[in-house]
Amino acid sequence: MTRFDTYAMIDWSGGNDTGPRPRRDAIWACLATADGVQAPQYFRNRELAEVWIATLIAQELAAGRRLCIGFDFPFAYPKGFAQALTGQADPFAVWDWLETRLSDSPKENTRFDLAGEINRTLGAGKGPFWANGLRNRDIDGLPRTKQDYVNPFPERREAEAQAKGTFTCWQMAGAGAVGGQVMTGLPVLSRLRKRFADAVAVWPFEPLTRPVALMETWPSLIADVVNEELIRQQDAGLAPVRDALQVQLVAGALAALSGDDFADMVDVDAPEEGWILGIGHEAKLADAARKSLALQKAALPSPPPLTNDCFALPPGVDWTPVDAALDRLRAGLHAVTGQETLHVTGALGRVLAAPAVARRSHPPAPNSAVDGYGFAGGADTGGHVMELLAGRSAAGVPYDGTVPSKKALRILTGAELPEGVDTVVLEEDVALSGGHVAFNGPLKRGANTRKAGEDVAEGEIALTEGRVLGPQDLALLSAVGVGTVQVRRPLRVGVLSTGDELLEPGTEAGPGKIYDANRPMLLGLIERFGHVAVDLGRAADDRDTLAECLTRAVTDNRVDAILTSGGASAGEEDHVSALLTAEGAMETWRIAMKPGRPLALGLWSGKPVFGLPGNPVAAFVCALIFARPALSLLSGAGWAEPMAFDVPAAFEKRKKPGRREYIRARLQDGRAAPFASEGSGRISGLGWANGLVELPDGEAHVRPGDPVRFLPYGSFGL
Ligand code: AMP
Ligand code: MG
């Protein structure tokens, strides 16, 4: 059986930790199955990648799925090397040898030292390895260039001779070199192979009879498809990361291949040097990549539907703690909005649907941070006099000449540093006379200048997927040359009030009637949360009317989600819960919190309905605590945690254990003061307050001055 259920492709890196932001030279990985291809993920270092791979293997094994993992580096060295190094013509002996000797951490590793050591033993210090990537340290036995280089082994493996453009595994540094990847990659594979000894087969050295296979692949076999797609995405105003696209296309291609084609590809005989999966089958691989791409594009605009059990709570739970309820919402919901491409200037408040990659470095060129005089090399302590050249460098109008050593040029803030200038002295610190500038050192080389790309380098991810674009983000995107962005369509949220007693604000009120206070409030909250609010009006306490209102709301996709208020409990007039229960996709959550009564959560024709309590104070608090993060997730912006901080209490209060409490509070003079009445009928307290104090689930006795958790309205976007 050669087919697999899941295909993972990994683009390895021999370098050091690349930092928290996804970069093009980080490690990239992507998963694909017959159902589709996932978004590529990146890892800033090998340690994290190894953990991810091990977890993936364990998960797939536990789920009974067969997993194929491709790596983009050679699994073995050319013929004769294994024997010379380990005394056995066995690639796994080399894996072992390297695993024992390489020391590797996110910040540094010993790959160059190890290459030097092997060269000294096997090649009189002249080969087989060459190129030292350490600028500041010579390695004994590792030549920096190919001058005087002698290689006792074949320069290439048989597979590499057939794959045009591959680098040899002997080259340890330089653009595109794979030597470092082999040396840092094989120890990881060796560990994985031992850890999952009965489950892992390494192709083509072992038969594919185990549930997990490790295979050598090479994305350049489908370079044409990668390049076409890169250009297409760039033309669409996106800035794709090549490595990310490569893993996505290779994983997708492997998953899209027919069983027979895949069987042909793995049928090779290369017991010592290994092989590159797909050599000789490039056209089939490219076809499969295109097929997978077409499927991905077709799948793009419609996110998967929510599942009927997305609001299901574990059985047997009576009162659900707030955190458990939040965890459930977080796990059950996902983005439901489609995508579109917008110009940056029109994208305020929108959610990024894909990472925005810098198309240009910021700043694009080294420039001056001040108005002053530029020269080279910094200045020692003491007085300096330099001849002042004619001309100047200004922002947008660079000086097009070279500034000779020991001479200075007038330079203005933001102006590019001309050739020959790397240091600027502030104009306030110089005296000008007779065509010379005089000033006192010391001044460090590079003083008062900005390096090219010191803010963001070209190719770096400037903003990640899910980011809600603020004004500050529009500045960054513009600065790094991003003109259009792929964003989510706005989430449309309908608001419906229920209750026979409700009247439209401003109308004549008869006995027994009250004005609908919730609908204007909830419509306003939704706008402040950053979504589109859709007014669905009021519904009487009557099941048919309510059903009609909900159906009208979801017809033609008028809304993506609905907030109702009132009728959410289990009483005789509580039709929201009754109706949703009858429709079969409803859960009533009794949440251990004050204020708040049960929340009714359900799906109406696949659209989530959040049935909030009728009491306006409870509706407000539940909207902030539950609806806001859930709507954020639906909108594609991820779970939205409010910002909170501890402040001293300006009150005393005892509370019993068993439920969390939210108190309308005002932060004044650095202390949190509660609203005069805790009664949940008092709407005026909502406006008096400027935030909520959150008291924990357990028993508490708060005394004046004790720290309490304060959630300012501002952190909910209000
Ligand atoms: P219910 O959850 O429907 O039992 O309503 C609880 C309380 O909130 C009742 O006193 C209702 O009259 C009141 N209420 C319900 N909906 C609204 C609304 N839209 N505006 C103001 N009060 C409401
Ligand atoms: Mg009611």
Side-chain angles (χ1 to χ4, degrees):
M1 191 168 58
T2 47
R3 284 304 274 166
F4 293 86
D5 302 298
T6 308
Y7 292 84
M9 177 64 211
I10 293 163
D11 182 289
W12 201 246
S13 162
N16 292 335
D17 189 286
T18 54
R21 277 192 286 186
R23 284 172 205 253
R24 55 184 160 184
D25 48 1
I27 298 170
W28 287 87
C30 189
L31 287 179
T33 65
D35 294 332
V37 182
Q38 292 189 6
Q41 328 187 29
Y42 81 98
F43 301 94
R44 55 188 285 181
N45 62 50
R46 286 179 291 281
E47 230 168 72
L48 294 173
E50 186 171 343
V51 170
W52 181 80
I53 299 169
T55 312
L56 175 69
I57 294 177
Q59 271 171 9
E60 294 294 300
L61 287 175
R65 284 191 293 261
R66 286 170 54 81
L67 166 70
C68 169
I69 316 179
F71 294 86
D72 68 335
F73 57 82
F75 281 11
Y77 290 89
K79 213 167 267 156
F81 180 72
Q83 178 77 42
L85 185 74
T86 68
Q88 303 167 58
D90 173 5
F92 295 131
V94 176
W95 289 27
D96 258 345
W97 195 97
L98 291 173
E99 185 200 333
T100 331
R101 284 162 185 86
L102 181 84
S103 109
D104 193 2
S105 76
K107 289 280 166 236
E108 56 188 351
N109 65 71
T110 56
R111 68 189 192 275
F112 297 113
D113 304 86
L114 205 54
E117 188 188 319
I118 297 174
N119 278 4
R120 292 198 301 278
T121 324
L122 302 182
K126 295 184 167 188
F129 293 103
W130 68 280
N132 169 6
L134 304 171
R135 240 175 265 160
N136 308 326
R137 184 159 68 89
D138 284 329
I139 300 276
D140 184 16
L142 184 64
R144 283 194 179 271
T145 67
K146 281 198 118 172
Q147 215 185 334
D148 301 328
Y149 168 75
V150 182
N151 185 356
F153 304 103
E155 197 50 17
R156 288 173 183 281
R157 298 181 297 154
E158 181 56 34
E160 280 145 11
Q162 288 194 31
K164 294 261 169 316
T166 41
F167 281 66
T168 78
C169 46
W170 305 123
Q171 185 182 339
M172 292 298 294
V178 295
Q181 296 179 36
V182 184
M183 219 171 254
T184 56
L186 293 183
V188 173
L189 300 193
S190 182
R191 278 192 291 276
L192 289 171
R193 181 171 171 262
K194 288 175 189 161
R195 182 160 163 193
F196 299 98
D198 300 329
V200 170
V202 180
W203 178 86
F205 312 126
E206 297 171 315
L208 295 176
T209 48
R210 301 200 179 119
V212 179
L214 309 182
M215 297 192 177
E216 177 187 343
T217 61
W218 190 47
S220 294
L221 291 181
I222 54 162
D224 286 350
V225 190
V226 172
N227 290 333
E228 282 161 28
E229 180 60 14
L230 267 177
I231 292 169
R232 194 196 64 78
Q233 294 194 8
Q234 279 159 357
D235 287 349
L238 307 170
V241 175
R242 176 183 281 274
D243 288 359
L245 189 59
Q246 283 184 348
V247 290
Q248 194 176 5
L249 287 177
V250 174
L254 293 177
L257 278 173
S258 77
D260 286 350
D261 288 343
F262 189 80
D264 283 350
M265 276 185 204
V266 298
D267 183 17
V268 304
D269 181 24
E272 183 180 344
E273 288 190 334
W275 198 252
I276 297 169
L277 182 72
I279 290 184
H281 305 268
E282 288 82 354
K284 287 214 165 116
L285 209 52
D287 280 351
R290 288 201 176 89
K291 187 171 142 199
S292 149
L293 208 49
L295 286 174
Q296 287 173 52
K297 275 181 201 150
L300 188 68
S302 48
L306 298 173
T307 54
N308 265 353
D309 61 352
C310 66
F311 294 126
L313 285 172
V317 175
D318 197 14
W319 285 95
T320 308
V322 172
D323 286 338
L326 291 173
D327 285 348
R328 186 65 198 99
L329 283 177
R330 193 172 185 166
L333 299 175
H334 58 75
V336 296
T337 43
Q339 305 185 9
E340 62 186 325
T341 303
L342 287 184
H343 192 264
V344 163
T345 49
L348 182 66
R350 290 299 198 92
V351 177
L352 275 186
V357 181
R359 310 193 75 176
R360 193 187 198 207
S361 292
H362 182 254
N367 66 66
S368 179
V370 297
D371 287 348
Y373 297 87
F375 58 96
D380 300 336
T381 307
H384 299 268
V385 178
M386 290 180 186
E387 187 188 325
L388 182 61
L389 294 175
R392 61 172 205 172
S393 183
V397 194
Y399 177 78
D400 73 358
T402 302
V403 175
S405 154
K406 308 261 188 300
K407 296 197 177 172
L409 180 78
R410 174 73 172 146
I411 188 163
L412 302 179
T413 308
E416 283 189 16
L417 301 185
E419 201 69 33
V421 169
D422 60 16
T423 308
V424 176
V425 56
L426 265 174
E427 67 180 10
E428 292 87 331
D429 294 345
V430 309
L432 284 177
S433 76
H436 285 77
V437 285
F439 62 91
N440 284 319
L443 204 58
K444 266 199 211 133
R445 175 199 287 261
N448 299 315
T449 66
R450 307 172 181 136
K451 290 193 195 62
E454 70 175 21
D455 185 14
V456 181
E458 183 192 330
E460 256 183 74
I461 291 193
L463 294 171
T464 46
E465 185 182 333
R467 172 86 178 181
V468 182
L469 295 175
Q472 65 280 23
D473 299 318
L474 303 189
L476 178 64
L477 292 171
S478 304
V480 298
V482 174
T484 54
V485 278
Q486 200 178 339
V487 293
R488 295 272 180 185
R489 292 185 193 279
L491 186 78
R492 301 174 60 81
V493 185
V495 174
L496 180 71
S497 288
T498 72
D500 287 339
E501 73 278 33
L502 299 179
L503 284 177
E504 201 60 16
T507 56
E508 202 63 35
K513 299 286 188 181
I514 60 168
Y515 292 113
D516 178 2
N518 287 346
R519 194 153 48 96
M521 173 180 77
L522 293 172
L523 288 166
L525 282 176
I526 285 163
E527 274 194 19
R528 292 286 166 91
F529 294 164
H531 314 302
V532 172
V534 179
D535 190 347
L536 302 177
R538 280 178 288 117
D541 281 326
D542 166 80
R543 193 188 280 206
D544 293 341
T545 317
L546 188 58
E548 218 177 280
C549 285
L550 293 177
T551 301
R552 207 177 323 126
V554 299
T555 309
D556 299 330
N557 286 325
R558 269 180 79 207
V559 300
D560 302 302
I562 298 173
L563 298 191
T564 67
S565 67
S569 309
E572 55 194 288
E573 290 298 332
D574 289 324
H575 296 284
V576 174
S577 48
L579 180 64
L580 291 175
T581 307
E583 291 300 315
M586 151 77 193
E587 294 284 330
T588 302
W589 290 15
R590 302 212 298 162
I591 296 169
M593 117 179 201
K594 180 185 170 191
R597 289 214 317 219
L599 284 186
L601 297 167
L603 294 181
W604 190 263
S605 298
K607 308 284 184 196
V609 179
F610 297 81
L612 302 174
N615 176 293
V617 173
F620 181 84
V621 173
C622 287
L624 295 193
I625 303 300
F626 295 105
R628 177 177 170 270
L631 293 175
S632 175
L633 204 52
L634 293 170
S635 78
W639 188 255
E641 219 49 87
M643 219 183 283
F645 46 89
D646 283 354
V647 298
F651 60 92
E652 173 156 12
K653 181 177 164 63
R654 283 174 191 275
K655 81 175 271 297
K656 291 200 204 90
R659 62 181 182 175
R660 189 170 299 185
E661 288 189 26
Y662 291 94
I663 301 173
R664 286 152 286 169
R666 180 187 276 192
L667 191 64
Q668 49 189 19
D669 305 327
R671 293 172 154 242
F675 181 57
S677 158
E678 277 191 29
S680 63
R682 308 271 292 260
I683 299 180
S684 64
L686 289 176
W688 177 88
N690 55 21
L692 300 174
V693 160
E694 182 186 76
L695 298 180
D697 297 0
E699 183 179 343
H701 181 186
V702 178
R703 297 174 188 82
D706 284 353
V708 286
R709 209 168 126 84
F710 184 74
L711 294 79
Y713 282 166
S715 80
F716 297 101
L718 303 190

